Amino acid sequence: MVPPNDTLSTYRRKRDFRRTPEPSGGKTGSSEKPLFVIQKHDAGNLHYDLRLEMDGALRSWAVPKGPSTDPREKRLAVPTEDHPLDYADFEGVIPEGQYGAGTVLVWDTGPYRNLRSEKKDDGLSMTESFADGKIEVWLEGRKIKGGYALIRTGKDERWLLVKMDDDEADARRNPVSTEPKSVLSGQTLEQIAAKSSG
Ligand code: MN
């Protein structure tokens, strides 16, 4: 089954690369250690974009409340268009009038592992897991670690992001509010926005 977001054509069609500082996507190929990134994006409505390197691109979901470290919390994750691999370290300001206008920072990033492929009785690749509507990954970020499941629900193509119950689960942590800054630059959204307006 071909995933619905298997190319960057939607990504490119939505953007004018003469105006936005976002990458048009030149980097290709697959990594030995695939990456995840969570970008904090203030586009009028603040949200977190979870992206997983798959099929030579970053498959993406918008997570309004961001990830939780509490397995009892289910976070809505709305699929969005694939982004290019070089988007993983993008932070800056998307100008007004452009798609997704607002400030972006890299809230967390690191390698991930596909947990389903490691199970003998399961063994699904990321592409197959996506088609199956159930992804299980181990994230090795600075703020976010451990197993996370992404589960497609019903017919409206909404997904849920849920912390799996493992040693990294911690109902008392709330990194979305206690660790707001970029892991790349150490800056807040406000600092990135201020620098951009010069
Ligand atoms: Mn976004």
Side-chain angles (χ1 to χ4, degrees), residues 11 59-60 77 86-87 117 151 171 182:
Y11 173 85
R59 191 130 300 151
S60 300
D86 13 20
Y87 209 92
S117 70
I151 301 152
S182 165

Side-chain angles (χ1 to χ4, degrees), residues 29-54:
S30 59
S31 320
E32 204 159 301
K33 277 193 165 184
L35 280 182
F36 83 94
V37 60
I38 301 170
Q39 278 154 320
K40 188 176 179 181
H41 184 187
D42 182 5
N45 63 325
L46 183 69
H47 61 275
Y48 294 77
D49 290 299
L50 169 64
R51 312 189 196 281
L52 297 172
E53 181 179 349
M54 282 173 63

Side-chain angles (χ1 to χ4, degrees), residues 36-41 48-49 86-92 103-110 142-143 179-187 189 192:
F36 83 94
V37 60
I38 301 170
Q39 278 154 320
K40 188 176 179 181
H41 184 187
Y48 294 77
D49 290 299
D86 13 20
Y87 209 92
D89 58 6
F90 172 73
E91 56 182 36
T103 310
V104 177
L105 67 70
V106 176
W107 185 76
D108 202 11
T109 187
R142 302 249 294 268
K143 300 170 184 172
E179 302 176 59
K181 294 177 183 175
S182 165
V183 293
L184 289 191
S185 64
Q187 292 181 300
L189 282 173
I192 291 170

Side-chain angles (χ1 to χ4, degrees), residues 22 33 45 60 78 82 84 92 94 97 101 110 114 123 130 146 156 169 183 194:
E22 296 166 288
K33 277 193 165 184
N45 63 325
S60 300
V78 181
D82 282 1
I94 302 167
N114 173 8
F130 180 80
D156 54 0
V183 293

